[in-house]
Amino acid sequence: MHYPYQIKSLSDYKIQYKKSVEEPEQFWAEVATNFTWKKHWDKVLTWDFKTPNIKWFEGAKLNITENCLDRHLITQPDVPAIIWESNDPEEHHRILTYKELHFKVCQFAHVLKNNGVKKGDRVCIYMGMIPELSIALLACARIGAIHSVVFGGFSAQAIADRLQDANAEFVITCDGAYRGAKEIPLKSVIDDALIGCKFVKRVIVCTRTRTPVSMIKGRDVWWEDEIKKVETQGNHDFPAVEMDAEDQLFILYTSGSTGKPKGVVHTCAGYMVWANYTFVNVFQYQQGQIHFCTADIGWITGHSYILYGPLSAGATSLMFEGVPTWPDAGRFWEIIEKYKVDILYTAPTAIRSLMGFGEGYIAGKDLSSIKVLGTVGEPINEEAWHWYDRNIGKEKAPIVDTWWQTETGGILISNLAGVTPAKPSYATLPLPGVQPVLVDENGKEILGNGVSGNLCMKAPWPGILRTTYGDHERCRINYFATYENLYFTGDGCLRDEDGNYRITGRVDDVLNVSGHRIGTAEIENAINMHQGIVESAVVGFPHDIKGQGIYAYVIYQGTHGDAELARKDINLTVSRMIGAIAKPDKIQFVTGLPKTRSGKIMRRILRKIAENEIGSLGDTSTLLDPAVVDEIIKGKL
Ligand code: PRX
């Protein structure tokens, strides 16, 4: 495939950027002509951030899978679409060419149809990183069902919350999943989730670990049996269902500053164009290259840069089931050598963790195929950036530091590999169509360079979220009401003298732990469920590997066991309510929390204590009980 909209030089970037801001409709209409449409749009863009009401390519008809699969059948049927590397290095890898992937997606679309799934139905997907996961998403998209993928690390309760919120009547899962040395009993977690979700009509279970599972008659079916039925019916093709540009493609739940995760909604056309455009430009993808994004499909990075971005560009996407440190910390490098990977896209957490194992695991591995390196999910510190550059890119591969969010659908701020300059720890410049502004507390725009503020966007790009599922007002309040006529990202940011952006981290009560977003309120709610807990307050603290760790201050009146056991009990409750990813790294028992006279917890003080910045606590005399601060400092972990 060739990409006429691929930016080739810094001056080209400047021209394209200018055009995208001055004539957005014409700009995106030109990009969009490179896709397959069943019908072209009547209007490229309608928008209003007040409501919000955002529509891209209104009136157009399409199916994203025709862009990800069918159109490549003619030009490159035998090119690998997905290369799958097992958790177990001894297990044979799998390759699905575009032809094979198309076939399997059509087959599974029949399975979905046979099981009663229709256009617009919500399908919850809770699987490990096996090719069938990609097939499941694409098959949903093919029949127009809205997929809602839940990361395999979330608990039964978290799944139940998401099933209820989306009123999802269908679930696709696996018996179990392998992750490093661990085996995760996915189906059994689903069974627990479904105890309170009687509205779920069908669970399709794919075999991976063949761990014993309970299969409920009338509700649960095996993936493989259902495929056999389709084979005997002789059904092969499955014509892609015609979708409106603004029909919902998927929901992905993410944390905010309230206790309840939000179902971020992306729609068909804008998301497709954005995932593709950013993939092609940021990574400067060239036909035939192998793109290895190490994220899990349970997160937005996997949706956009394992599946929809690469496949819509006819790329070869490498999907890895395992973890970077198993069987040892050389696994990524072995994979790069084995498949001659061209592009590696991973998280700073993974880089920092592998850095800790030393260079021994890299020695002797041939990484000469690497052309481009990328990072995502959290700020990358300069030390990790240079380590990545030196040891993996051998100082020859450009590094793209890509800043974006679940809500943005794809990358918003990043250098373009080898085309626009990189600057360590800076995401650098906005992509065409992206108009960042920095504002102060009152929403006043901070002009000029060498400044910092809260990061907002002035206008919509095609991949912006459209709503939060079932609650449009929540979408408005969360993203469009803080500052008038702006999309607020929740991030703090600085702009250097040359106009480069550097993201400094969240300015709301959201933590970024190992590149995963978790709301402090969500963790507090989970902790507060535990017997004997009177109150809790959660803050982040700097963590060498995870970026941020979770620090919980807890007032506990339980009587069973010593402090250590109590911590374990509390952690178990958090694992049950959310998942192991939300477990606090530190739990400090306190007798009181610093509160203002009106009863508000002074998180700033708790944050400073957790960060070991006791010298800069500021004025504590306005607190209801200033003595509590001394007690907390004394007991700091
Ligand atoms: O704080 C920013 C941080 O991750 C948040 C978005 O998290 P999530 O929706 O889970 O999506 C992660 C994958 C896109 C942002 O608000 N973040 C993401 N990328 C970067 C980043 N912080 C600094 N630099 C980045 N490159």
Side-chain angles (χ1 to χ4, degrees), residues 528-549:
N528 296 347
M529 293 291 290
H530 193 75
Q531 200 178 58
I533 302 286
V534 179
E535 202 175 7
S536 64
V538 167
V539 297
F541 71 98
H543 189 288
D544 284 348
I545 292 177
K546 298 180 181 180
Q548 262 188 318

Side-chain angles (χ1 to χ4, degrees), residues 254-255 299-301 345 348 375-380 400-408 410 413 425-427 489-492 502-506 510 512 515-517:
T254 189
S255 297
W299 309 106
I300 190 70
T301 308
Y345 189 34
T375 69
V376 58
E378 44 178 332
I380 179 159
V400 289
D401 176 351
T402 65
W403 173 84
W404 57 297
Q405 311 179 293
T406 305
E407 294 85 346
T408 71
I413 304 182
S425 81
Y426 278 74
T489 64
D491 279 325
R502 175 187 189 152
I503 314 302
T504 48
R506 303 289 303 193
V510 172
N512 191 327
H516 303 318
R517 245 162 93 173

